[in-house]
Structure formats: C-alpha cells, structure tokens
Amino acid sequence: MKVYLIFALLLPLAANLWFACRKKELCRKAVFTAVTELVLIYALHLGICRFTLCNAPEIPVIAFSAVSCLFSFLFLTKRQTAGRLHRFLRTAAGSVCLAFLLEMAVFCGNAYSLHPFSADAEQTAVTGSAKHSDSGIIVSGNASVRLTFNAQDVRFLHIRTETKDSFYEVTCRMTDDNFAHMPQETGSYRMNASQEELCLAIAPYGTLYEAELAFQNVDRPIRIRSITASDVKPFPFSLLRMLGLSALLCLLAAIRIFRWHRLCYDRFDLLQRESIAVLLMLCIGAMLFVCPVGNARLYDYDPAAGVDTYDPYAQTFDAWQHGQLHLRIDPDPVLLELENPYDRSAREAAGAEEEWDKAFHNGKYYSYFGIAPVIFVYYPIFLCTGKLPNTEFTAAVFSVSGMIFLFLLLLTLVRKYCRRVNFLLLLLGLTCAAAVSGLFLCSHYADRYYVANAAGITFLYLFLWLGLEASLAENHRVRCLFLAGCGIAVTAAVLSRPTCALYAVLLLPVVLPLLRRSDLDKRHRLTAVTSFALPLLIGAAVTMAYNAVRFSSPLDFGSTYQLTISNTAANRVQLGELPAAMVQYFLHPLEFGGQFPFIRMDTVEFAQNGRYVYVTEGFGALCFWCIPAALLLLCFLKISREEKQFCMLGYAAAVLTAFLDHCMGGYNTRYLCDILPVLAVCSVLLLLQGAQSLRKHRAAFRAAVLLFLQAPLLLTAVFLSLGENSSMWYGHPDFYFILRDCLVFWQ
C-alpha cells in the first residue's frame, strides 16, 4: 500500500481524536465522522485503481491532509455561531473540500473509463532526423514517427521521454474510418520533454489505423522510451490547481463575510498601508519573474579595451570617460565614401559595414539613445563598484523604481481627487495600472530599446507624483523641494525618451493653481515658480547644448541619423497618417490562436500606405478594456474641473504621441509603451471615481472588478503566447506547461 494511502487513513483518525479530546460530547460524532472518512477515502482509492490506468495514484499527501482535517472541522463544529471568524473558517473548510471534489470529479474527469485500456503500436517507422536505439527512438531534428495501432475507442497518445529541458513542436496526423487513406491533422502542440509523460488528445472515428507524429524545432535530441494509445489520460491530479481554486474560493468567502467590498480606503490605517505594500512587492516580484533576471549582471570595465560588445549606454559612458562625445568606433572607409550612407540598399550594394542602429554624423558614430540611464544608473554603479551593469540589470532597476512611483502617484491622485474609494477596488486598480503601464513589457524584453522606455516611464511617474505632492503640501519649503525635484524629473524623462516632454502638460492643471492661491503671497509664489523652472531651464539648456555639439541642432537628438532598416530622415509628420496611427496604437486587435493561451500578437499592415512604414506585431491600447471604459466615463462622469483637465490632457497627449511615433517611426510594441503609462493612470483614476459615484448599483462594482482583472490576465496571456521569443520561456521553462495543464483540462 502506498505511503499516501497510509497517511490518508491515519489523518482522519488523528483529526477526529483531537476534536474528541477537546470536547467529550463530540466523541460519538467524531467516531462516526472518522469511520465515514475512512470508508470514503478507501472507496476513492479503489475507484481510481479500477476505472483509470493508475494502479496506485499518487495524490499528494498535503491534499489528503487538508481535506481530512477540514472535513472533520466542518462536521464537528457548530453551524449556528455569530462570530465572523468562525463562519469564515467553516466556509474555508467547505471551500477546500469542494475544490478537492471538483479536482477529482471534473478536472480529472477524462482519466476515468469503465474499461480503461492501453495499446502499444504494432509497427513503428521513423523518417528524417530520427533513429531507433536500444532504449527507444532518438529524435535530433525535424523528423516523423509513424505508428500503426488498428485500435478502437482511442482518445489519447502517450509519449514517454527521458530528455530534460528540451523544447519542440509536434504535429499529429491520423487515419481512421473517416479518412482511411488520407492522413488528417488532429492538432499541433508545443511541448517540453522535461515532463516524463506527454499526452496528445485525438478523436478518431471508429478504428485508429495509423498515427503520425511530425517533430519540428527540436532544440536538443529527444529520447522517446515508448508511445502508446489509450482511451483515458494518466490520472492528472494537480495540487497547484486545487490550491489555487481553494485560495480563490476562500478569498471570495472572506470578502463577503468580512465585508471587504464595503471597506473604504483610509491612508492612515496601518493594516491598509501594509496591504498596499504587500501588493507592491507582489507586483515587483511578478515583474522580475517575467524579466531575464538570470542574465542581469555587473561586468568589469576596461578603458583600454574595445567597445564593440558594449550596449549603447556603456559605449556612451566609455566615450565620456575618454573625454569625447562620439563613440570609440572607427567607421568603415566604404561607408565614409557613400553619398547617402543612410540608404540601407546603398550600404548593402557597396558592401559597407555599419554599426547597426547607431547615429552616424560627420564621419563619427554616436548613440541616439537617451543619456538618463548613463547618468542615473551606470555612473552611480561604476562609482560604487567599479563595474558596469548590462541592459537586463538596468531595465530591472528602472522597472522596479517605476512601479514604486506608479503606486505613489495613484495613491496621491486618490488623495487629491477622490473623497471615498473602495479599498478592494483600489487594490485591484493598482494591479490593473501596473499591468497596463508598460513596465512589465520593458522588464520582459529588457534590451537597449526598452531600457529607454523603462527610464522614461520611471521619470514620468516621478515628476507627476512630485508635482501632485507639491500641490498638496502645506509647508512652503517642502513644496519648493517637491517642485525642484519635479523640474529635475521632467528633464530626466526627456533625456530618457524625448516624447515624454509632451506629458509635461499634465502638470498645468496641477501646478498652475498654485499661482492663484489666495493664501500664498507673491514671494511664496515666485519662489515656488523658481524652484520648478530653474532646474528645468538648466536641464533644457544642457540638453540643447549637448545636442548642438553632437548634431549641430539643439533640438536634434540624433534619431534622423540612424543606420537602421530605412532612412528615418524620410519620415515626415503628415495629418493623413492619423487614421493609421489610431488603428495601430489603439484599435489593433489581438489574433485568436489555436494553442494555449489562444491569443497572440498580430501585424496590421495597410496596403495603400504610399511609403515604407516600419510595422511589427503587437496590439492596441484598447485591448485593455479599462481604457475604453474610462474614456466613456469621462464623457458622463461629474468630477472636478481640475481632474477632468488632467485626464483630458493625458488622453490628448497620448493620442498626439501615438501620431508622432507612427509618422516618425512606425509601430512597435516599445512605441506602445510611450502611451500606455498615462493611459493606465488616467483610466484607473476615472474607473475608481465612476465606481464610487455609482456605488449604489452593485453592477458598477462588479463591472469595475471585471475591468481591473482583465488587464493582468490579458498581459499574462500575451507573455505566454510569445513562446520561444519570451524571456520567461527560458527563465522558467516549465511555467507555460504547468499553467496549460492546469487550465486546459478538457483535452
């Protein structure tokens, strides 16, 4: 008898004995409950052994432990108790038992059969990069394995492997009584050979004659021990699925019993502040989970070495260390002789070698990427450690910082504009804003392009938060400090992504009222304006001087001198590009796919562009339902004039940024990160206000919950759909397959 069954039989006795010892009047009831549990558990064991392919199913001990103890608690405690805690404990106990029942009866339903069977292939033939061996079949590349079964009532194919950490795709074709001589495709699967047994669902009509497995994209050899056919799956008990469902049911019970859905936010409540801090840590942890943290590192800097392998920020740092602004990279003489070196076809025709995506001006290479990461990350780390960070490390630093400033900004907006906010909705709103903000995308890709986006988002949230705090500060010195920091943060945002300059208009309805406050005299107003304007003007002057020295124009950041796919100087701002920009950046839909998670990013190209437009796969901002819902609320919601101006300026700046990005650069997911940060903040703020204004209607609360939950779920699905192109795939290779097996239980 298996160990799990011994534990399962002993735990009910122990649990009921404990209850009987605490209250002697429960002895008879405890004995009856223990006997009932023993009978049910043993009957369950016999049923699984009889009606599945498992002779002794390994159900986790912790599952039986929880169910046994909580089942005893549920039946041996009084139901009529006034205390909320007692009601919650009973409900939680019932929830865990219900989750166990659903796991056994529903999620594992395709593992049961009145007459389960397993059939081996009568013949096996291999073609391509596959060969027979003493231990089975070895597949080292694109190959096909054809198996002859001649079996009926087959529902699944079982592939047993021995290889670890091997990823591949397999397409299944079969012949049956419907297509006896023409193999038909039944499914395509993305697989991980680290699982010992893989299961493919098929549904032949009548007799299954042959099954053909076509292996593709095999990254390392796979050793297949056996391939069999059966009418049921191996018993797929998932402890993770059971615990997740139990936690969800317990959370819903706690919300209803303790009335958390009626709790209002109080910024002085210590427990609420701790809850927000925990949520922030969870968001940062999730962000680092999708980030290639394993690749983040610090490396030694050698001033005498070449810089060819450095990222653009390290190359800029190296140039500054050598007292120059251009990079220490010698251009190809052929490139210098070209009349138009920015024409990619001319470079290829002449055989000129170029430094990809560098700015080339007056025979020298420059980096057009913002210098804020160099100033705020590279130099501080170098001064402290003598080493330089790579882009993964830098992206993680800015993403974490941006998440902190996002939470501070939203809480300050709530304090300034919202009188009463539901605390549960606030937590969900913070989660939604974190998902929509673009920080997860920057953390996920973490290359030189997204480092600039992450830095821009961080300083954008920082200057908005400092500006709002300045408008709320009562102490004049504190107000001036906030304004000075706000001016510096605006400059840093522009030095990260120049498009962030447009979002400075959001400070107008926040800062300008300071000049009209009757309780401030002229001296205080003048010092407040000077505190903000002085660092801003100094930063603007330094930035323009830096641009003028490098590119002969104070407003030229070097993007028109890129050596990239096309000549970016050919791009022009044209009003006729507005419809295409709105489609690409806002209405661009996700495509439905056949594999889990059943959606994927798609490319939308217009056939009549009239010119070359750089377009990659992605999605539009309105795929996050909270954004169109908030736009609709903005038309009807009664809010303060200042708040309405703040949100309208935010949406207008996002539309203008999308238009300029499309005209000057085209469409890419990283360009989408230019508009998502402000859309996230404004949308969550309006939805919180709308839910509060319509608090008498339960439908409004439920709609807000749905809108807030959709964003993180959609973003998770997008990351899962990337497959091998996802850093999460390589950092956590089993996550996709575990989640797929938990959610796609019907196959």
Side-chain angles (χ1 to χ4, degrees), residues 516-542:
R516 299 194 299 266
R517 284 179 55 172
S518 58
D519 59 328
L520 296 179
D521 55 28
K522 292 183 179 180
R523 182 175 61 85
H524 284 172
R525 295 177 189 175
L526 181 60
T527 54
V529 172
T530 304
S531 299
F532 173 72
L534 184 60
L536 182 61
L537 292 176
I538 293 175
V542 172

Side-chain angles (χ1 to χ4, degrees), residues 260-524:
W260 289 348
H261 58 291
R262 298 182 181 179
L263 183 64
C264 290
Y265 169 60
D266 180 7
R267 65 190 183 96
F268 298 107
D269 189 302
L270 180 60
L271 183 59
Q272 292 189 13
R273 294 167 66 179
E274 291 175 346
S275 301
I276 293 174
V278 170
L279 178 62
L280 174 61
M281 293 297 104
L282 291 175
C283 289
I284 291 176
M287 190 167 56
L288 295 179
F289 180 81
V290 303
C291 174
V293 179
N295 297 331
R297 62 184 178 88
L298 301 177
Y299 57 90
D300 294 325
Y301 168 65
D302 184 3
V307 297
D308 294 340
T309 59
Y310 287 179
D311 61 74
Y313 308 102
Q315 291 174 344
T316 300
F317 170 87
D318 173 79
W320 291 2
Q321 287 295 102
H322 286 80
Q324 60 189 48
L325 298 181
H326 62 276
L327 307 182
R328 288 197 307 119
I329 302 176
D330 295 327
D332 185 0
V334 179
L335 186 67
L336 294 173
E337 296 176 358
L338 291 179
E339 181 179 356
N340 182 13
Y342 308 106
D343 184 348
R344 182 185 179 187
S345 61
R347 296 197 304 268
E348 293 179 352
E353 296 182 0
E354 80 277 0
E355 285 293 321
W356 185 256
D357 232 358
K358 297 290 191 301
F360 183 69
H361 181 62
N362 291 336
K364 297 178 181 179
Y365 280 118
Y366 298 88
S367 173
Y368 70 90
F369 292 93
I371 59 175
V374 181
I375 298 173
F376 294 98
V377 176
Y378 280 70
Y379 262 106
I381 291 178
F382 177 75
L383 294 175
C384 294
T385 66
K387 297 183 178 182
L388 293 180
N390 61 358
T391 55
E392 290 84 356
F393 188 97
T394 308
V397 170
F398 279 120
S399 298
V400 171
S401 303
M403 188 66 68
I404 295 173
F405 293 137
L406 169 61
F407 271 58
L408 292 174
L409 172 61
L410 275 174
L411 294 176
T412 304
L413 283 169
V414 168
R415 177 158 59 100
K416 183 176 178 62
Y417 296 123
C418 305
R419 294 183 180 180
R420 291 169 56 87
V421 172
N422 183 278
F423 181 62
L424 180 61
L425 283 184
L426 177 61
L427 294 179
L428 293 176
L430 289 169
T431 307
C432 174
V436 180
S437 65
L439 289 170
F440 275 87
L441 291 171
C442 296
S443 177
H444 173 265
Y445 290 102
D447 58 18
R448 55 182 173 175
Y449 304 102
Y450 284 91
V451 166
N453 285 107
I457 295 172
T458 298
F459 290 114
L460 167 63
Y461 285 150
L462 177 59
F463 78 67
L464 290 177
W465 171 63
L466 291 174
L468 287 166
E469 286 291 347
S471 68
L472 295 172
E474 297 296 333
N475 185 283
H476 181 63
R477 292 184 178 179
V478 174
R479 183 186 304 117
C480 290
L481 287 175
F482 280 133
L483 289 172
C486 181
I488 296 173
V490 171
T491 303
V494 175
L495 290 176
S496 303
R497 289 283 290 176
T499 52
C500 290
L502 293 174
Y503 294 118
V505 298
L506 273 72
L507 294 172
L508 295 178
V510 176
V511 178
L512 287 182
L514 289 175
L515 304 178
R516 299 194 299 266
R517 284 179 55 172
S518 58
D519 59 328
L520 296 179
D521 55 28
K522 292 183 179 180
R523 182 175 61 85
H524 284 172

Side-chain angles (χ1 to χ4, degrees), residues 570-604:
N571 298 331
R572 294 288 185 270
V573 177
Q574 301 175 0
L575 190 60
E577 297 289 334
L578 182 61
M582 294 301 99
V583 171
Q584 294 285 10
Y585 283 85
F586 291 93
L587 302 177
H588 189 164
L590 286 164
E591 183 183 14
F592 287 95
Q595 292 194 31
F596 177 79
F598 310 115
I599 62 169
R600 58 174 177 260
M601 293 191 292
D602 191 19
T603 303
V604 175

Side-chain angles (χ1 to χ4, degrees), residues 325 361-362 366 542-554:
L325 298 181
H361 181 62
N362 291 336
Y366 298 88
V542 172
T543 302
M544 289 190 292
Y546 182 70
N547 290 337
V549 172
R550 296 198 305 165
F551 305 115
S552 306
S553 173

Side-chain angles (χ1 to χ4, degrees), residues 143-277:
S144 294
V145 178
R146 179 170 296 181
L147 308 109
T148 303
F149 286 103
N150 294 319
Q152 293 186 341
D153 299 326
V154 174
R155 296 291 306 280
F156 299 96
L157 293 179
H158 307 277
I159 307 174
R160 297 172 181 85
T161 64
E162 292 181 352
T163 309
K164 298 295 183 182
D165 299 328
S166 177
F167 302 103
Y168 60 93
E169 294 182 4
V170 58
T171 301
C172 182
R173 301 181 182 89
M174 70 175 183
T175 56
D176 56 6
D177 286 336
N178 190 16
F179 290 92
H181 304 286
M182 186 184 299
Q184 298 297 307
E185 183 174 324
T186 63
S188 180
Y189 305 86
R190 184 183 295 155
M191 310 300 288
N192 179 9
S194 62
Q195 300 169 288
E196 294 184 357
E197 185 168 350
L198 309 173
C199 190
L200 308 183
I202 60 174
Y205 173 73
T207 302
L208 173 66
Y209 296 113
E210 289 186 346
E212 180 183 355
L213 301 178
F215 294 86
Q216 295 178 332
N217 300 324
V218 180
D219 62 349
R220 66 184 63 181
I222 309 167
R223 185 181 300 275
I224 301 175
R225 292 190 289 112
S226 65
I227 302 177
T228 59
S230 71
D231 63 335
V232 293
K233 291 181 68 173
F235 194 70
F237 188 94
S238 171
L239 179 62
L240 179 63
R241 182 168 51 204
M242 175 192 161
L243 294 179
L245 182 58
S246 301
L248 177 61
L249 294 175
C250 291
L251 178 61
L252 295 176
I255 291 173
R256 182 160 185 84
I257 293 173
F258 296 109
R259 298 181 180 179
W260 289 348
H261 58 291
R262 298 182 181 179
L263 183 64
C264 290
Y265 169 60
D266 180 7
R267 65 190 183 96
F268 298 107
D269 189 302
L270 180 60
L271 183 59
Q272 292 189 13
R273 294 167 66 179
E274 291 175 346
S275 301
I276 293 174

